[in-house]
């Protein structure tokens, strides 16, 4: 008899996830089409100045994929079934906050300081960079989203619950920053998001935790659906997530992880995020991926062939 409620819970979580993914995909595609017609900033004469960048091939691509992802995922989170009001509000805050702050860095950022360490070092010297504003802002919105989100896994006294909120906020903000570190080649940030998010979604559906399972499944499915819907544009090198989209993708998946994982799992996930972020200051993810046959194959899946080096010989004789 105990299996029937579990089966019903899993079916409800799976249905909610399917609807959430479909909503995310539809909203992201609709937002992308709308932004291509009328960009959020700039008119028909100045839109390219704001929203066009040159990619690693030296070709122009639009950054409008990022705001489209953030807007679509936020709208779908507000409408997805299986989410209580506080979970919806947390998703809207995490997605919109990180998306807007990422867009600010995309449009008005400078390259005088780079990386997490570089921006914080500049801040210590009294120089407020756009990157520092984004880091601090995403940290604040991540913490606020963590405090707002319902979480049955939090237990213990006030100190323990406060520590849980800090861990969750750091995981949301850290995931937002980490996702952006992978947005250096077409489709890479979305692929990393899918590789992290699909197992999280499957675990959320399989877990017999009732409302918690449905909530975690919906929170995971929405950004995955939105990201998958925009992946063809990214792989085709017609558009890119930029900071706006990558930060929003990471933040929403980080929020989903806080809903699904218990305290040890959330601490472990934060440790992985922190370790990868620290490693990025010393190691090039692009070089590591290129040097590993499996990772390189995944990275190149669906992409155009690598650009030939001018003057290079076809034979290395």
């Amino acid at each position: 008899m105990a299996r029937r409620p579990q089966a019903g819970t899993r079916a409800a979580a799976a249905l909610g996830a399917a609807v959430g993914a479909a909503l995310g995909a539809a909203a992201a595609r609709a937002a992308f089409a709308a932004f291509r017609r009328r960009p959020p900033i700039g008119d028909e004469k100045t839109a390219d100045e704001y929203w066009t960048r040159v990619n690693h091939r030296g070709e122009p691509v639009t950054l409008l994929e990022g705001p489209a992802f953030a807007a679509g995922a936020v709208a779908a989170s507000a409408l997805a079934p299986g989410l209580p009001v506080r979970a919806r509000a947390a998703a809207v805050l995490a997605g919109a906050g990180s998306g807007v702050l990422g867009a600010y860095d995309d449009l008005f950022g400078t390259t005088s300081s780079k990386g997490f360490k570089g921006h914080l070092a500049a801040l210590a010297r009294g120089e407020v960079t756009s990157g520092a504003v984004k880091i601090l802002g995403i940290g604040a919105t991540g913490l606020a989203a963590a405090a707002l989100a319902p979480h049955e896994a939090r237990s213990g006294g006030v100190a323990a619950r406060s520590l849980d909120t800090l861990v969750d906020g750091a995981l949301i903000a850290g995931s937002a920053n980490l996702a952006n570190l992978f947005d250096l080649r077409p489709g890479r940030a979305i692929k990393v998001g899918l590789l992290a998010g699909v197992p999280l979604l499957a675990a959320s559906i399989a877990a017999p935790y009732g409302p918690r399972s449905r909530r975690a499944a919906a929170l995971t499915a929405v950004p995955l659906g939105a990201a998958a819907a925009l992946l063809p544009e990214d792989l085709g090198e017609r558009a890119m997530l930029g900071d706006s989209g990558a930060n929003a993708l990471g933040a929403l998946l980080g929020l989903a992880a806080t809903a699904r994982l218990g305290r040890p799992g959330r601490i472990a996930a934060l440790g992985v995020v922190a370790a990868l972020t620290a490693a990025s200051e010393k190691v090039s993810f692009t070089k590591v991926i290129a040097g590993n046959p499996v990772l390189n194959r995944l990275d190149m899946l669906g992409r155009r062939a690598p650009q030939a080096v001018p003057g290079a010989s076809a034979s290395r004789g």
Side-chain angles (χ1 to χ4, degrees):
M1 297 295 292
R3 293 182 180 179
R4 290 183 180 178
Q6 289 186 13
T9 295
R10 290 167 182 163
L15 178 60
V19 174
L23 284 173
R29 292 301 310 184
F32 187 63
F35 289 161
R36 291 300 298 265
R37 292 192 300 270
R38 187 179 181 85
I41 296 177
D43 54 29
E44 59 183 11
K45 295 181 179 180
T46 62
D48 285 347
E49 177 184 345
Y50 283 107
W51 297 105
T52 299
R53 296 292 183 271
V54 175
N55 68 3
H56 68 291
R57 295 180 189 271
E59 299 172 352
V61 296
T62 180
L63 283 170
L64 289 171
E65 179 188 343
F69 170 84
V74 165
S77 296
L79 298 173
L83 290 177
V85 172
R86 290 185 61 175
R88 295 181 195 278
V92 168
L93 179 58
S98 56
V100 168
L101 288 161
Y104 164 74
D105 202 25
D106 280 333
L107 298 179
F108 307 110
T110 64
T111 58
S112 57
S113 298
K114 294 183 179 180
F116 192 86
K117 183 178 178 181
H119 290 301
L120 293 184
L123 188 62
R125 298 193 301 268
E127 178 185 351
V128 181
T129 65
S130 59
V133 171
K134 186 183 74 168
I135 290 170
L136 295 176
I138 289 178
T141 56
L143 185 61
L148 187 58
H151 209 313
E152 294 90 341
R154 291 176 186 158
S155 60
V158 173
R161 292 195 297 272
S162 297
L163 179 60
D164 279 340
T165 299
L166 289 175
V167 169
D168 289 356
L171 180 56
I172 294 168
S175 297
N177 180 67
L178 181 60
N180 191 42
L181 296 178
F182 285 101
D183 191 39
L184 297 175
R185 291 294 184 271
R188 182 181 293 171
I190 292 179
K191 288 177 182 177
V192 170
L194 292 173
L195 287 172
V198 169
L200 181 64
L201 176 60
S204 299
I205 293 173
Y209 297 144
R212 178 180 164 194
S213 294
R214 294 195 294 272
R215 182 169 72 248
L219 287 171
T220 310
V222 166
L224 292 184
L230 294 172
L231 183 58
E233 303 291 340
D234 210 310
L235 290 174
E237 302 187 24
R238 297 181 293 274
M240 62 183 291
L241 283 176
D243 288 16
S244 178
N247 286 151
L249 173 60
L252 288 170
L253 289 178
L255 176 64
T258 69
R260 168 62 186 86
L261 301 175
R263 182 179 293 159
R266 300 198 308 276
I267 293 174
L270 178 58
V272 171
V273 169
L276 288 173
T277 302
S280 71
E281 299 286 344
K282 302 291 185 180
V283 178
S284 166
F285 286 169
T286 295
K287 289 182 179 179
V288 171
I289 291 170
N292 183 290
V294 175
L295 294 179
N296 187 58
R297 177 167 291 188
L298 287 172
D299 193 46
M300 292 303 303
L301 187 65
R303 284 175 50 186
R304 292 161 54 187
Q307 188 174 29
V309 179
S313 172
S315 171
R316 297 184 65 88

